[in-house]
Amino acid sequence: MEQIEQRVKKIVAEQLGVPETDVKTESSFVNDLGADSLDTVELVMALEEEFECEIPDEEAEKITTVQQAIDYVSAHLK
Amino acid sequence: MSLQGKIALVTGASRGIGQAIALELAGMGVTVIGTATSDSGAEAITAYLKEAGNAGRGMRLEVTEEGACDGIVETITKEFGGIDILVNNAGITRDNLLMRMKDEEWDALFATNLRPIYKLSKAVMRGMMKSRWGRIINITSVVGAIGNAGQTNYSAAKAAMFGFTKSLAKEVGSRGVTVNAVAPGFIDTDMTKGLPEEQKAKLVENIALGRLGLPQDIADAVGFLASDKAGYITGCTLHVNGGMFMN
């Protein structure tokens, strides 16, 4: 579980070009980390690749914070 | 203008403008996948690409079949790698006066000429965004800009491509993907061969350069837009019409 959190945070930091220390679990991609809508699409693409899963569009739209990303990955990781 | 190692998908490549585009890109070092609506058309594409020494091939694509656009992008990505250049060229005409236009004629036009540019652009975008380089080139038509009696459906779909081109260019520009359109005027292809000579002569009167265009004229414009020389051009429509319409 902790490992997933670290991996998610690392990807978020890389994709959005922010220091990993700024990425808190409660951080919102758009409001706190300065992402635009296309950044969030790319972020989901990166998560799909890291965790080898496919996140459907309707689910992807609901992932707006680091915590939500962690929750989604944890629930769907094989 | 070398694009060595890039991969292109050109729809409607069995003849006319599409074939000229496929061969132009092949000449620039691009591995080209050309589509046709029939197996025999796909084989013909494979044959001319092989003759040109290209590693690409023809594939059958009926753009109106459910899942076909996503499917072909997946197949190409597996077999060749991610698509770098998408040329949305496939199109049909269903000419009729509006007063006689049938719903099927209107609907078929949009299903074949417009919906696939949305489906294919979406399907290739992931790879283009990841590689921070991509080219989408939509082949529209001068009639989308100036209108033509008997082509309300065709010109409406072609005009729609201008808006699509500009909006998508704004969406993905920050990721190194350019989206442009090429608007041919009257080009000497099977699509325009059916016109009566008298009408053709009249058309030529309105062309500053005094002749119909050739498929190669369009292919040259597409080759330029695909190249790195056009890296700062996006959301643009290049009119290639011999001066019959000046923007």
Side-chain angles (χ1 to χ4, degrees):
Chain A
M1 188 63 201
E2 197 147 315
Q3 203 208 345
I4 288 177
E5 185 177 325
Q6 288 317 312
R7 283 162 73 192
V8 168
K9 282 183 173 172
K10 187 162 179 278
I11 287 170
V12 170
E14 272 172 14
Q15 281 294 323
L16 304 184
V18 294
E20 230 173 298
T21 46
D22 286 4
V23 182
K24 315 275 186 243
T25 45
E26 66 274 15
S27 300
S28 152
F29 304 134
V30 174
N31 297 329
D32 300 320
L33 301 175
D36 66 17
S37 53
L38 194 60
D39 289 326
T40 61
V41 172
E42 281 194 306
L43 182 56
V44 168
M45 279 164 45
L47 289 169
E48 287 178 329
E49 269 156 41
E50 171 73 15
F51 296 101
E52 291 174 359
C53 61
E54 202 165 306
I55 306 176
D57 284 348
E58 54 276 21
E59 294 293 329
E61 281 165 20
K62 291 184 210 147
I63 303 174
T64 61
T65 67
V66 176
Q67 186 63 55
Q68 285 164 349
I70 295 167
D71 291 346
Y72 184 89
V73 170
S74 308
H76 292 86
L77 204 61
K78 283 163 230 155
Chain B
M1 294 203 284
S2 170
L3 288 171
Q4 207 68 41
K6 301 274 190 218
I7 296 170
L9 170 59
V10 181
T11 64
S14 62
R15 57 203 161 109
I17 292 173
Q19 179 178 15
I21 292 169
L23 286 170
E24 176 66 22
L25 293 175
M28 293 165 78
V30 177
T31 300
V32 179
I33 313 305
T35 76
T37 51
S38 66
D39 286 326
S40 60
E43 281 162 26
I45 294 169
T46 303
Y48 77 63
L49 284 173
K50 204 175 229 175
E51 204 183 300
N54 197 268
R57 66 180 177 90
M59 289 187 189
R60 198 188 83 89
L61 173 67
E62 179 55 74
V63 288
T64 54
E65 277 171 16
E66 199 52 44
C69 292
D70 290 332
I72 196 163
V73 170
E74 203 174 312
T75 305
I76 295 167
T77 305
K78 270 190 197 138
E79 196 174 327
F80 295 91
I83 294 165
D84 304 292
I85 302 161
L86 168 64
V87 183
N88 285 306
N89 168 70
I92 57 166
T93 52
R94 290 288 181 273
D95 298 352
N96 214 338
L97 294 173
L98 180 79
M99 294 292 285
R100 302 208 185 287
M101 182 80 60
K102 295 180 184 54
D103 288 356
E104 297 82 54
E105 289 169 339
W106 180 271
D107 292 341
L109 207 294
F110 279 78
T112 308
N113 292 16
L114 194 58
R115 193 168 187 270
I117 77 162
Y118 145 69
K119 292 294 286 178
L120 287 170
S121 301
K122 188 176 170 187
V124 300
M125 193 51 69
R126 187 189 183 106
M128 289 184 182
M129 273 172 46
K130 268 183 66 186
S131 61
R132 292 290 191 263
W133 196 96
R135 296 279 189 265
I136 294 181
I137 300 164
N138 298 316
I139 308 302
T140 152
S141 167
V142 67
V143 305
I146 64 173
N148 195 21
Q151 292 199 305
T152 50
N153 53 357
Y154 185 77
S155 59
K158 290 301 189 186
M161 291 168 86
F162 298 135
F164 177 94
T165 299
K166 291 173 190 177
S167 294
L168 186 58
K170 288 190 175 181
E171 274 186 31
V172 298
S174 63
R175 303 307 194 267
V177 180
T178 70
V179 189
N180 291 292
V182 172
F186 276 92
I187 308 299
D188 197 6
T189 67
D190 289 350
M191 208 185 239
T192 50
K193 270 199 177 83
L195 294 173
E197 280 307 320
E198 204 177 310
Q199 201 179 338
K200 261 193 208 170
K202 226 176 183 173
L203 277 168
V204 171
E205 273 176 34
N206 294 315
I207 300 174
L209 294 179
R211 65 168 177 91
L212 292 187
L214 299 171
Q216 187 59 41
D217 293 321
I218 306 308
D220 287 336
V222 172
F224 168 64
L225 288 172
S227 77
D228 280 323
K229 302 220 180 221
Y232 199 58
I233 299 175
T234 195
C236 164
T237 298
L238 194 45
H239 286 276
V240 185
N241 59 35
M244 72 175 282
F245 165 70
M246 301 181 191
N247 203 8

